[in-house]
Amino acid sequence: MNLTKEQIKSDYQKKLISLFAEDLEESSVLHQYIALAELVKEYSFERWMKTNKRYKKEGTKQIYYFSMEFLLGKLLENNLINLGIKEVVREALDDLGIRLEELENVEREAGLGNGGLGRLAACFLDSMAALSIAGHGNGIRYKYGLFKQKIRDGYQVEMPDDWLRHGYPWEIRRIDKSVIVKFGGYVYFTNENGRFTAKHEGYEEVLAVPYDVPIIGYGTETVNTLRLWSAEVKSRDFDFESFSAGEYTKAVEHKYSVESISQVLYPDDTTEKGKLLRLKQEYFFVSAGVQSIMRTFKKSGRSIYDFHKYVAIHINDTHPALAVAELMRILVDEEYLSWEDAWEITTKTMAYTNHTIMSEALEKWPVDMMKKLLPRIYTIIEEINRRFCQELMDRYNNDWNKVDRMAIISGGWVKMANLAIVGSHSVNGVSKLHTDILKYQELKDFHEYYPGKFNNKTNGITHRRWLIKANPELTNLISEAIGCDFLKNPRELINLEKYKDDKSFLDRLEKVKYNNKLKFADYMKKTQGIKIDPNSIFDVQAKRLHAYKRQLLNILHVINLYNEFLDNPNMDLLPHTFIFSAKAAPGYYLAKKIIKLINSVGEKINNDIRVNDRIKVVFAENYNVSLAEKLIPSAEVSEQISTASKEASGTGNMKFMMNGAITLGTLDGANVEIYEEVGDENIIIFGMTSEEVINYYKNGGYHSWDLYYQDRRLTRILNELDDGYFAPRGEFKEIFNHLLTYNDEFFVLKDFASYCDAHKKINELYKDRFRWNRMSLINIAHSGRFSSDNTILEYAKDIWFK
Ligand code: 26V
């Protein structure tokens, strides 16, 4: 954008007045931030409008990414970077005596996601806009995002994330684009003019109001749209009917019940709980999204039979899988298409990404619940299922077991993954390994039935947020060395490789890392009052807390180091800071105990003067996008230690790599591809392979008690857990039981020895600063392969524009 400093200064001051009737002197930092955000949004408006006009005029195929979660993070700085006006805005503000950083600090991040899946959706939006692909998001405008985490006495405490309290300057409420979503009621079938017709009556109407957020492309004129739906009562329902009857409280209750649909993001990404409100949320944003797409499409005047040529709908995990049935409903009930025609259009429109093989997280809904809440949708799913099962019976000679496994409705449940697979033309996993596990294990039946439907799209991350924004010093160093092409095309990072033996360059790389460590140490001091030694190794595990991600393995190793160090204070051990950051689902008991264990171990070690800061354990509270942007650039060791086969891909692993951390990991998810990319000497791999893990599962696991008796280190650690060494006796009973009584489902004890060896290797390698920095540089140089721009180009080529 061509904006001068003077122009910005004048626009900005006018904005303050028009919004708040204040000048600079009187305004608070909050108002100064809001005014700047509003101004930046306004700067994007012309491009936004032009983008939409261009799409319309050129008849561009529109991609809609349906996702229950979009973990956007803060937008101010990214939008400034993407518009190319960050520096000139900074200068303008400087002139006015305002520091840009100070305004950035008051922004509340949009935390509308749990973890990897939601952040991936946000990276994809950023990439689609940067690549000028007409790709838009469709989701829910939760009033409360993922809870805020506090640590009290070592325990996690959850607090509501009231992110909209001061308003959200990046959105536009578009009441004129609202649609009605219908819940409940009953369905009957009639013969209308010779056509078998479904009638849906007695339903409740909910108003879906869209809030649009501009998604500004970097280095292009493209501005796409993220549309987030909010549930409201129709004004008629609230104001007149109940009011005039004098039923004020009833009206208010009704209003709350309707609004509850978009009130809160479900914070449990571990177990599927079959909650009615969750099902309401799913249908709510799916129905609103599909209706609004159809409305736009109809305005184009094109034939409905060409719908799939102009529209692609991407289903992010099974959460939006009802889109299959909703599009069928509209095509059959409202557009009067035959079932066969509607089905062809629907399957050609839909594509589905699977993000987990953890069976507890696979969504299924009780038939009775769905029938009651979504009677018409249920009859459609029934018919899809009936036809599908018929095909299966023909093909498999009435092999009932197989048909039952693959059926969409079975045993009183509606299985959402099966619906998504049957209703889509493409099913993809999110890393090579994950896709293979889907094809040859988890979804084997489907892969055999639909060869060619399955494909891999390894995840990626946007370097605009995770390098340019999060790590400006590193970005500058790289630009000095290889020029600025990598800003536009992150694959160019590979050119850094030519510095891999350049001692003076590697020293500068080390210095950048050191400065980022200082910054993070400073942040921890300010926010949690914790002192960290910037000369210690920053060993970081930051991600959601899940048993399969094995934060437990990490902390058991820390305990072991502590034990060994107390036995032998002369042992060869560089100063280490073990940094953990993780939220546990509020109802996930074991995960919360592991947080408590990390904090209890930290408490003991950090206060033991014998250890003399050789080992320090730190828990960084409230892991979210903003914290990740500070923490990741400071990391030297990236802990990616999930039980092999369990982590579908991981994306944190890629972020750490791009910022020069060395991966300490298992051959799981995208770690496998990182390993292939950087080579054996530039990554530390340990533990069982996915094949070994899967074989153990097939044979009923292993005997963890044996290891407890055999490995003296484990005997001691587990006894310490049990006997009150770190916290009053009984506190860690469940962890002890999980590992021994319940046979260590995730092979923590089994991988322990190999993990300890890997750490020894790290300790050795780190002493050779040249060697370590060389590894770091090679990781950065190869990280372009994991840019979400690549990933999106593959989705476009193989799925959306095939
Ligand atoms: C599941 C559920 C289950 C029902 C209730 C609410 C809820 C919310 C979220 C989820 C999603 C779990 C799946 C997930 O986040 N998978 C992660 O996706 C990342 C992006 O593909 C991938 O890198 C991680 O390996 C994978 O665990």
Side-chain angles (χ1 to χ4, degrees):
M1 282 196 96
N2 284 326
L3 280 165
T4 64
K5 189 170 79 171
E6 294 311 317
Q7 177 78 49
I8 293 169
K9 276 156 67 178
S10 141
D11 290 350
Y12 182 59
Q13 284 165 301
K14 280 189 206 142
K15 195 79 201 169
L16 262 176
I17 296 172
S18 70
L19 283 173
F20 303 114
E22 286 171 353
D23 62 15
L24 269 174
E25 254 169 74
E26 293 154 272
S27 58
S28 61
V29 180
L30 176 66
H31 280 184
Q32 291 171 1
Y33 157 69
I34 293 175
L36 182 62
E38 289 284 353
L39 181 63
V40 172
K41 180 173 67 178
E42 203 176 290
Y43 285 153
S44 78
F45 277 1
E46 195 170 316
R47 289 184 180 188
W48 201 2
M49 196 174 71
K50 281 190 181 151
T51 302
N52 285 327
K53 282 199 192 293
R54 176 162 56 82
Y55 290 158
K56 208 161 140 187
K57 191 167 144 237
E58 294 172 5
T60 319
K61 185 170 185 179
Q62 304 291 303
I63 316 304
Y64 296 95
Y65 199 80
F66 275 38
S67 178
M68 209 64 180
E69 307 190 359
F70 287 94
L71 227 180
L72 296 178
K74 296 187 184 190
L75 289 183
L76 177 58
E77 193 181 345
N78 254 83
N79 285 344
L80 290 173
I81 292 173
N82 288 4
L83 285 170
I85 56 173
K86 184 173 156 195
E87 286 321 312
V88 60
V89 165
R90 186 205 297 284
E91 287 163 19
L93 293 176
D94 275 347
D95 277 8
L96 298 172
I98 297 176
R99 281 189 51 241
L100 178 57
E101 282 71 25
E102 204 183 333
L103 301 196
E104 281 162 7
N105 280 339
V106 299
E107 175 168 6
R108 300 286 292 268
E109 75 165 69
L112 309 184
N114 271 285
L117 167 138
R119 182 54 231 176
L120 184 75
C123 283
F124 280 3
L125 291 181
D126 186 72
S127 285
M128 290 190 289
L131 295 165
S132 289
I133 289 174
H136 315 282
N138 185 68
I140 298 178
R141 181 180 180 268
Y142 301 104
K143 186 157 175 215
Y144 297 93
L146 189 64
F147 66 86
K148 281 204 274 192
Q149 178 196 55
K150 283 259 167 225
I151 302 295
R152 299 256 161 80
D153 300 326
Y155 298 102
Q156 166 176 297
V157 178
E158 301 91 22
M159 283 176 328
D161 164 42
D162 196 3
W163 70 293
L164 288 170
R165 168 166 297 236
H166 303 304
Y168 188 58
W170 301 110
E171 67 188 6
I172 303 184
R173 178 180 163 94
R174 293 203 192 273
I175 188 76
D176 58 319
K177 299 257 172 13
S178 302
V179 300
I180 299 283
V181 178
K182 299 173 185 171
F183 291 103
Y186 54 91
V187 172
Y188 63 92
F189 294 90
T190 62
N191 183 327
E192 237 171 42
N193 309 323
R195 192 176 193 275
F196 189 65
T197 308
K199 290 278 174 199
H200 184 190
E201 283 171 9
Y203 46 77
E204 186 196 339
E205 297 190 335
V206 171
L207 189 70
V209 180
Y211 287 73
D212 287 354
V213 179
I215 303 295
I216 300 168
Y218 176 81
T220 113
E221 303 267 296
T222 299
V223 178
N224 288 331
T225 303
L226 168 59
R227 176 159 284 183
L228 298 174
W229 297 94
S230 180
E232 297 185 12
V233 286
K234 286 168 46 196
S235 58
R236 192 161 40 86
D237 290 358
F238 183 64
D239 293 329
F240 302 109
E241 287 172 19
S242 300
F243 259 33
S244 54
E247 295 180 90
Y248 176 74
T249 33
K250 217 170 142 195
V252 174
E253 274 167 24
H254 173 68
K255 178 169 147 58
Y256 276 121
S257 136
V258 166
E259 288 172 358
S260 72
I261 295 174
S262 53
Q263 202 71 0
V264 60
L265 165 77
Y266 272 88
D268 194 331
D269 61 352
T270 45
T271 43
E272 191 287 306
K273 291 214 189 72
K275 285 259 174 21
L276 179 67
L277 184 59
R278 169 92 183 173
L279 182 58
K280 274 192 186 173
Q281 290 186 331
E282 293 185 355
Y283 185 63
F284 170 73
F285 93 103
V286 157
S287 174
V290 177
Q291 288 187 62
S292 126
I293 291 167
M294 186 57 79
R295 193 192 271 177
T296 310
F297 177 77
K298 299 270 288 185
K299 272 201 224 143
S300 76
R302 296 196 160 85
S303 158
I304 192 76
Y305 293 94
D306 289 336
F307 185 79
H308 57 280
K309 295 182 186 156
Y310 295 94
V311 172
I313 294 179
H314 206 93
I315 302 176
N316 196 26
D317 217 290
T318 55
H319 319 149
L322 290 172
V324 171
E326 179 66 1
L327 183 56
M328 283 300 287
R329 181 187 70 78
I330 294 176
L331 293 175
V332 172
D333 292 0
E334 295 177 7
E335 300 299 321
Y336 307 112
L337 262 56
S338 71
W339 183 274
E340 290 75 14
D341 287 340
W343 184 244
E344 189 179 337
I345 293 167
T346 297
T347 50
K348 284 182 171 166
T349 302
M350 304 289 166
Y352 156 60
T353 301
N354 174 289
H355 294 269
T356 183
I357 60 158
M358 300 293 290
S359 51
E360 314 87 273
L362 287 183
E363 280 192 303
K364 54 185 192 326
W365 294 105
V367 162
D368 290 338
M369 186 191 282
M370 196 178 282
K371 249 187 198 164
K372 202 159 164 222
L373 185 71
L374 308 169
R376 178 56 183 139
I377 289 300
Y378 181 73
T379 58
I380 289 171
I381 295 176
E382 243 178 356
E383 181 61 11
I384 296 173
N385 184 53
R386 191 187 64 76
R387 289 173 183 241
F388 178 56
C389 288
Q390 189 58 58
E391 283 174 31
L392 293 175
M393 305 265 257
D394 296 346
R395 164 87 174 261
Y396 296 115
N397 291 321
N398 301 327
D399 175 349
W400 282 96
N401 283 328
K402 196 176 192 105
V403 175
D404 188 56
R405 279 202 306 271
M406 296 175 75
I408 298 166
I409 304 172
S410 140
W413 298 93
V414 181
K415 299 189 196 164
M416 300 302 270
N418 300 22
L419 174 63
I421 296 166
V422 175
S424 301
H425 66 278
S426 164
V427 176
N428 74 279
V430 288
S431 72
K432 278 187 202 160
L433 177 67
H434 171 58
T435 301
D436 281 345
I437 293 174
L438 292 179
K439 276 164 65 172
Y440 305 114
Q441 317 257 351
E442 299 297 308
L443 302 178
K444 186 162 168 270
D445 292 328
F446 285 103
H447 179 238
E448 274 166 22
Y449 188 68
Y450 297 121
K453 212 185 237 199
F454 285 75
N455 63 95
N456 176 245
K457 296 286 165 283
T458 299
N459 283 165
I461 57 167
T462 169
H463 69 294
R464 289 167 289 274
R465 182 172 291 266
W466 298 108
L467 180 58
I468 304 176
K469 168 165 194 270
N471 203 338
E473 252 196 83
L474 180 58
T475 306
N476 286 339
L477 179 67
I478 299 171
S479 316
E480 262 183 56
I482 62 170
C484 291
D485 290 355
F486 77 97
L487 297 175
K488 190 84 184 129
N489 178 8
R491 286 270 190 172
E492 298 286 327
L493 283 168
I494 198 67
N495 296 324
L496 260 189
E497 272 225 315
K498 57 176 180 272
Y499 292 91
K500 68 180 181 215
D501 295 311
D502 180 334
K503 167 90 170 53
S504 77
F505 188 80
L506 292 177
D507 287 345
R508 293 176 71 196
L509 186 62
E510 182 176 328
K511 185 80 179 72
V512 168
K513 182 61 81 182
Y514 184 76
N515 289 342
N516 288 329
K517 288 166 77 178
L518 279 180
K519 273 193 221 154
F520 184 72
D522 189 49
Y523 170 83
M524 285 305 291
K525 186 89 207 28
K526 281 201 181 108
T527 54
Q528 288 178 238
I530 295 173
K531 239 187 104 212
I532 315 183
D533 172 10
N535 291 307
S536 63
I537 301 177
F538 280 23
D539 179 308
V540 183
Q541 185 169 17
K543 50 181 80 254
R544 278 302 282 262
L545 214 142
H546 280 271
Y548 83 82
K549 293 179 191 280
R550 300 200 296 191
Q551 281 92 351
L552 187 51
L553 176 59
N554 189 343
I555 197 68
L556 293 190
H557 166 257
V558 174
I559 297 174
N560 183 56
L561 270 189
Y562 179 54
N563 288 339
E564 286 185 347
F565 189 78
L566 292 185
D567 287 352
N568 172 18
N570 295 320
M571 83 183 267
D572 171 17
L573 178 65
L574 296 173
H576 272 72
T577 302
F578 293 97
I579 303 171
F580 292 82
S581 200
K583 285 178 182 172
Y588 190 171
Y589 193 80
L590 178 66
K592 292 178 114 174
K593 277 289 177 193
I594 293 170
I595 291 183
K596 172 64 178 167
L597 176 63
I598 294 167
N599 287 309
S600 300
V601 171
E603 172 96 17
K604 185 155 187 106
I605 296 181
N606 301 345
N607 291 311
D608 187 337
I609 47 163
R610 291 171 297 175
V611 184
N612 205 5
D613 283 345
R614 205 79 80 84
I615 312 170
K616 179 137 195 170
V617 180
V618 169
F619 194 98
E621 251 172 27
N622 199 38
Y623 189 55
N624 60 11
V625 175
S626 307
L627 175 53
E629 287 167 16
K630 298 183 180 77
L631 174 55
I632 293 172
S634 80
E636 293 171 298
V637 179
S638 157
E639 299 263 1
Q640 307 299 336
I641 61 177
S642 53
T643 310
S645 80
K646 294 291 178 182
E647 189 69 271
S649 160
T651 43
N653 46 3
M654 302 166 184
K655 295 165 197 165
F656 282 98
M657 174 193 190
M658 193 173 270
N659 284 277
I662 309 304
T663 304
L664 166 52
T666 47
L667 283 177
D668 197 16
N671 297 352
V672 176
E673 288 155 78
I674 294 179
Y675 173 80
E676 285 169 5
E677 193 60 45
V678 300
D680 200 41
E681 332 78 72
N682 298 301
I683 186 167
I684 314 292
I685 296 293
F686 75 97
M688 299 163 76
T689 63
S690 59
E691 264 190 326
E692 286 168 334
V693 169
I694 290 167
N695 278 332
Y696 267 104
Y697 282 132
K698 280 187 185 148
N699 300 315
Y702 80 113
H703 297 288
S704 57
W705 279 104
D706 294 350
L707 280 177
Y708 168 74
Y709 291 121
Q710 281 159 20
D711 188 330
R712 301 319 293 165
R713 297 171 296 185
L714 287 173
T715 324
R716 180 163 168 193
I717 296 167
L718 286 157
N719 289 347
E720 286 168 349
L721 276 192
D722 193 41
D723 70 9
Y725 189 61
F726 295 109
R729 241 200 122 131
E731 180 72 85
F732 302 124
K733 187 174 78 227
E734 286 78 12
I735 297 181
F736 186 90
N737 287 341
H738 171 77
L739 291 174
L740 292 171
T741 317
Y742 304 118
N743 233 346
D744 187 15
E745 185 184 350
F746 297 108
F747 302 94
V748 170
L749 303 187
K750 188 129 185 78
D751 272 347
F752 176 77
S754 146
Y755 183 58
C756 291
D757 293 345
H759 269 291
K760 287 215 178 75
K761 216 163 142 189
I762 296 257
N763 192 63
E764 255 338 280
L765 283 168
Y766 195 86
K767 290 184 202 156
D768 182 347
R769 304 305 298 138
F770 176 81
R771 172 82 200 279
W772 185 271
N773 294 331
R774 187 177 188 275
M775 288 170 74
S776 172
L777 178 133
I778 290 172
N779 271 272
I780 300 167
H782 285 261
S783 67
R785 147 92 205 276
F786 300 103
S787 140
S788 46
D789 293 4
N790 284 316
T791 313
I792 282 299
L793 285 173
E794 286 182 19
Y795 273 91
K797 169 170 68 70
D798 301 341
I799 301 175
W800 303 328
F801 295 100
K802 201 176 172 167

